[in-house]
Amino acid sequence: MPERNVLWKLWGVSLLWGFNYVASAYLLRDFSPIFLSFARLVVMSLFLISVAVINKSIRRPTSREWGLLLFAGIFGTLFNQLFYFTGLQHSTAGNAALIIALSPIATLLLSRLFLKEEVTWLKLCGSVVALVGVVCIVLYGGKTLGISKGDVYLLLAMLGMSISLLFIRRLTNGMSSYEVTIYSTVIGTILMSPAVGVEALQGHLHASHHLLTWLLLIGVAVIGQGVAGFWWNQGIAVVGPSTSAMFMNIPPFIAIIVSFFLLGDPIRAAQVGGGILILAGVMIANMKRRQPREIGAGI
């Protein structure tokens, strides 16, 4: 596929993911957080399984891979989704997008800690800058100075995603990202079933009775997550992970602007300033040091 078409798809992914934060915040008005997360995962799992069955392009994992998939599902789907929707209920779509944008930096530091990957000075400086941005959002992003309970949950959701990427990195040594996505999503969906039962027993479970709201939920799961995920993987394969990662800088600001017009969420100076710091930190961390030019090179 031509590179230009792939770049257009990556722009589409950025827009879809930006709208996803706003759509999720809107859906929380009619759904309880755990049930909304579970329902979206069920729809997404059915979509992914259908694609796999049609294409007949998925293999059975080994016993070791099943173990890694279990942990990827626990952290990347179960914990991430539970904390994400619970946090979004007490925060804003803009804050959610900006905090989740810290995931590449958190993954970098966790990789250094557990996988012993090298961390350069640029990556370390970028991590510090991005961390300052998150502190600005968490402490000054509300109406009053203080830490929002919703933002703490969103930070835990971001950490869950980052930890899952450590297992996914191991899995992609022998499995395609497409296979890992399907298995980990389905496993996480199954693991979330007890949480939905607990929410129902506590009397907190509620769902919308409007068809249009359910259609929005299905659209978010299939298009905003499923189709966008396929486009994202295609972008990484064609233009590379570094170019694709730059498009991750766009969704937070899409979410802030759209939530301002559709949900009435205010745009706060701390969000803008913190967001700029997070994105600057991610860009610094992904910069490559120039190699010293050898004498006589280019002659």
PDB file of all heavy atoms in Angstrom, residues 34 42 46 89 114 119 131 136-137 198 212 221 248 271 278 285:
ATOM      1  N   ILE A  34     -18.346   0.002  34.945  1.00  0.00           N
ATOM      2  CA  ILE A  34     -17.875  -1.372  34.734  1.00  0.00           C
ATOM      3  C   ILE A  34     -18.677  -2.051  33.631  1.00  0.00           C
ATOM      4  O   ILE A  34     -18.116  -2.739  32.766  1.00  0.00           O
ATOM      5  CB  ILE A  34     -17.949  -2.182  36.044  1.00  0.00           C
ATOM      6  CG1 ILE A  34     -16.993  -1.573  37.076  1.00  0.00           C
ATOM      7  CG2 ILE A  34     -17.592  -3.647  35.802  1.00  0.00           C
ATOM      8  CD1 ILE A  34     -17.027  -2.259  38.428  1.00  0.00           C
ATOM      9  N   VAL A  42     -16.935  -6.740  24.971  1.00  0.00           N
ATOM     10  CA  VAL A  42     -17.658  -7.862  24.348  1.00  0.00           C
ATOM     11  C   VAL A  42     -17.851  -7.601  22.861  1.00  0.00           C
ATOM     12  O   VAL A  42     -17.602  -8.473  22.016  1.00  0.00           O
ATOM     13  CB  VAL A  42     -19.021  -8.095  25.039  1.00  0.00           C
ATOM     14  CG1 VAL A  42     -19.891  -9.039  24.214  1.00  0.00           C
ATOM     15  CG2 VAL A  42     -18.822  -8.662  26.436  1.00  0.00           C
ATOM     16  N   LEU A  46     -16.067  -9.783  19.855  1.00  0.00           N
ATOM     17  CA  LEU A  46     -16.841 -10.436  18.796  1.00  0.00           C
ATOM     18  C   LEU A  46     -16.381  -9.981  17.420  1.00  0.00           C
ATOM     19  O   LEU A  46     -16.299 -10.783  16.474  1.00  0.00           O
ATOM     20  CB  LEU A  46     -18.333 -10.145  18.986  1.00  0.00           C
ATOM     21  CG  LEU A  46     -18.995 -10.780  20.214  1.00  0.00           C
ATOM     22  CD1 LEU A  46     -20.429 -10.287  20.359  1.00  0.00           C
ATOM     23  CD2 LEU A  46     -18.966 -12.306  20.116  1.00  0.00           C
ATOM     24  N   GLN A  89     -15.289   8.748  34.909  1.00  0.00           N
ATOM     25  CA  GLN A  89     -16.536   9.154  35.557  1.00  0.00           C
ATOM     26  C   GLN A  89     -16.309  10.335  36.505  1.00  0.00           C
ATOM     27  O   GLN A  89     -17.223  11.124  36.764  1.00  0.00           O
ATOM     28  CB  GLN A  89     -17.130   7.965  36.323  1.00  0.00           C
ATOM     29  CG  GLN A  89     -18.558   8.169  36.791  1.00  0.00           C
ATOM     30  CD  GLN A  89     -19.100   6.941  37.478  1.00  0.00           C
ATOM     31  OE1 GLN A  89     -18.382   6.233  38.182  1.00  0.00           O
ATOM     32  NE2 GLN A  89     -20.375   6.650  37.292  1.00  0.00           N
ATOM     33  N   PHE A 114      12.524  -3.498  34.433  1.00  0.00           N
ATOM     34  CA  PHE A 114      12.269  -4.944  34.410  1.00  0.00           C
ATOM     35  C   PHE A 114      12.953  -5.675  33.250  1.00  0.00           C
ATOM     36  O   PHE A 114      13.292  -6.850  33.377  1.00  0.00           O
ATOM     37  CB  PHE A 114      10.761  -5.201  34.347  1.00  0.00           C
ATOM     38  CG  PHE A 114      10.028  -4.771  35.592  1.00  0.00           C
ATOM     39  CD1 PHE A 114       9.272  -3.611  35.593  1.00  0.00           C
ATOM     40  CD2 PHE A 114      10.113  -5.515  36.751  1.00  0.00           C
ATOM     41  CE1 PHE A 114       8.593  -3.206  36.746  1.00  0.00           C
ATOM     42  CE2 PHE A 114       9.445  -5.120  37.903  1.00  0.00           C
ATOM     43  CZ  PHE A 114       8.692  -3.960  37.904  1.00  0.00           C
ATOM     44  N   VAL A 119      18.444   3.271  28.758  1.00  0.00           N
ATOM     45  CA  VAL A 119      17.754   4.569  28.814  1.00  0.00           C
ATOM     46  C   VAL A 119      18.801   5.662  28.614  1.00  0.00           C
ATOM     47  O   VAL A 119      19.705   5.820  29.438  1.00  0.00           O
ATOM     48  CB  VAL A 119      17.028   4.768  30.159  1.00  0.00           C
ATOM     49  CG1 VAL A 119      16.418   6.171  30.221  1.00  0.00           C
ATOM     50  CG2 VAL A 119      15.952   3.727  30.350  1.00  0.00           C
ATOM     51  N   LEU A 131       6.630  14.046  33.051  1.00  0.00           N
ATOM     52  CA  LEU A 131       6.126  13.870  34.415  1.00  0.00           C
ATOM     53  C   LEU A 131       5.683  15.201  35.010  1.00  0.00           C
ATOM     54  O   LEU A 131       4.657  15.276  35.704  1.00  0.00           O
ATOM     55  CB  LEU A 131       7.206  13.229  35.284  1.00  0.00           C
ATOM     56  CG  LEU A 131       6.801  12.878  36.720  1.00  0.00           C
ATOM     57  CD1 LEU A 131       5.646  11.883  36.716  1.00  0.00           C
ATOM     58  CD2 LEU A 131       7.985  12.311  37.483  1.00  0.00           C
ATOM     59  N   CYS A 136       1.156  18.914  36.584  1.00  0.00           N
ATOM     60  CA  CYS A 136       0.371  20.135  36.328  1.00  0.00           C
ATOM     61  C   CYS A 136      -1.102  19.802  36.133  1.00  0.00           C
ATOM     62  O   CYS A 136      -1.989  20.464  36.678  1.00  0.00           O
ATOM     63  CB  CYS A 136       0.907  20.854  35.089  1.00  0.00           C
ATOM     64  SG  CYS A 136       2.507  21.655  35.309  1.00  0.00           S
ATOM     65  N   ILE A 137      -1.365  18.751  35.348  1.00  0.00           N
ATOM     66  CA  ILE A 137      -2.751  18.386  35.055  1.00  0.00           C
ATOM     67  C   ILE A 137      -3.450  17.866  36.301  1.00  0.00           C
ATOM     68  O   ILE A 137      -4.585  18.250  36.615  1.00  0.00           O
ATOM     69  CB  ILE A 137      -2.797  17.318  33.943  1.00  0.00           C
ATOM     70  CG1 ILE A 137      -2.284  17.911  32.632  1.00  0.00           C
ATOM     71  CG2 ILE A 137      -4.209  16.794  33.742  1.00  0.00           C
ATOM     72  CD1 ILE A 137      -2.037  16.880  31.563  1.00  0.00           C
ATOM     73  N   VAL A 198     -20.391  -8.230  40.400  1.00  0.00           N
ATOM     74  CA  VAL A 198     -20.296  -7.497  41.669  1.00  0.00           C
ATOM     75  C   VAL A 198     -21.016  -6.160  41.560  1.00  0.00           C
ATOM     76  O   VAL A 198     -21.744  -5.749  42.481  1.00  0.00           O
ATOM     77  CB  VAL A 198     -18.818  -7.277  42.061  1.00  0.00           C
ATOM     78  CG1 VAL A 198     -18.715  -6.331  43.256  1.00  0.00           C
ATOM     79  CG2 VAL A 198     -18.154  -8.611  42.375  1.00  0.00           C
ATOM     80  N   LEU A 212     -30.027   4.492  19.953  1.00  0.00           N
ATOM     81  CA  LEU A 212     -28.941   5.306  19.415  1.00  0.00           C
ATOM     82  C   LEU A 212     -27.705   5.263  20.320  1.00  0.00           C
ATOM     83  O   LEU A 212     -26.571   5.277  19.832  1.00  0.00           O
ATOM     84  CB  LEU A 212     -29.403   6.756  19.229  1.00  0.00           C
ATOM     85  CG  LEU A 212     -30.408   7.002  18.092  1.00  0.00           C
ATOM     86  CD1 LEU A 212     -30.831   8.474  18.060  1.00  0.00           C
ATOM     87  CD2 LEU A 212     -29.787   6.614  16.750  1.00  0.00           C
ATOM     88  N   ALA A 221     -16.646   0.710  19.748  1.00  0.00           N
ATOM     89  CA  ALA A 221     -15.907  -0.542  19.891  1.00  0.00           C
ATOM     90  C   ALA A 221     -15.368  -1.046  18.559  1.00  0.00           C
ATOM     91  O   ALA A 221     -14.195  -1.424  18.446  1.00  0.00           O
ATOM     92  CB  ALA A 221     -16.806  -1.610  20.525  1.00  0.00           C
ATOM     93  N   MET A 248       0.439   9.847  17.921  1.00  0.00           N
ATOM     94  CA  MET A 248      -0.137   9.701  19.252  1.00  0.00           C
ATOM     95  C   MET A 248      -0.211  11.036  19.977  1.00  0.00           C
ATOM     96  O   MET A 248      -0.892  11.164  20.996  1.00  0.00           O
ATOM     97  CB  MET A 248       0.714   8.722  20.071  1.00  0.00           C
ATOM     98  CG  MET A 248       0.559   7.266  19.670  1.00  0.00           C
ATOM     99  SD  MET A 248      -1.087   6.628  20.045  1.00  0.00           S
ATOM    100  CE  MET A 248      -1.036   6.619  21.825  1.00  0.00           C
ATOM    101  N   GLN A 271      -4.404  22.210  31.634  1.00  0.00           N
ATOM    102  CA  GLN A 271      -4.505  21.147  30.630  1.00  0.00           C
ATOM    103  C   GLN A 271      -3.624  21.457  29.429  1.00  0.00           C
ATOM    104  O   GLN A 271      -2.904  20.591  28.928  1.00  0.00           O
ATOM    105  CB  GLN A 271      -5.954  20.988  30.177  1.00  0.00           C
ATOM    106  CG  GLN A 271      -6.864  20.315  31.190  1.00  0.00           C
ATOM    107  CD  GLN A 271      -8.276  20.212  30.663  1.00  0.00           C
ATOM    108  OE1 GLN A 271      -8.825  21.190  30.141  1.00  0.00           O
ATOM    109  NE2 GLN A 271      -8.871  19.044  30.784  1.00  0.00           N
ATOM    110  N   ILE A 278       3.797  17.190  28.261  1.00  0.00           N
ATOM    111  CA  ILE A 278       3.762  15.740  28.027  1.00  0.00           C
ATOM    112  C   ILE A 278       4.204  15.426  26.606  1.00  0.00           C
ATOM    113  O   ILE A 278       5.047  14.549  26.364  1.00  0.00           O
ATOM    114  CB  ILE A 278       2.352  15.181  28.283  1.00  0.00           C
ATOM    115  CG1 ILE A 278       2.036  15.207  29.777  1.00  0.00           C
ATOM    116  CG2 ILE A 278       2.234  13.741  27.764  1.00  0.00           C
ATOM    117  CD1 ILE A 278       0.620  14.796  30.104  1.00  0.00           C
ATOM    118  N   ALA A 285      12.045  12.224  24.291  1.00  0.00           N
ATOM    119  CA  ALA A 285      12.426  10.841  24.578  1.00  0.00           C
ATOM    120  C   ALA A 285      12.613  10.025  23.310  1.00  0.00           C
ATOM    121  O   ALA A 285      13.367   9.041  23.301  1.00  0.00           O
ATOM    122  CB  ALA A 285      11.373  10.181  25.470  1.00  0.00           C
TER     123      ALA A 285
END
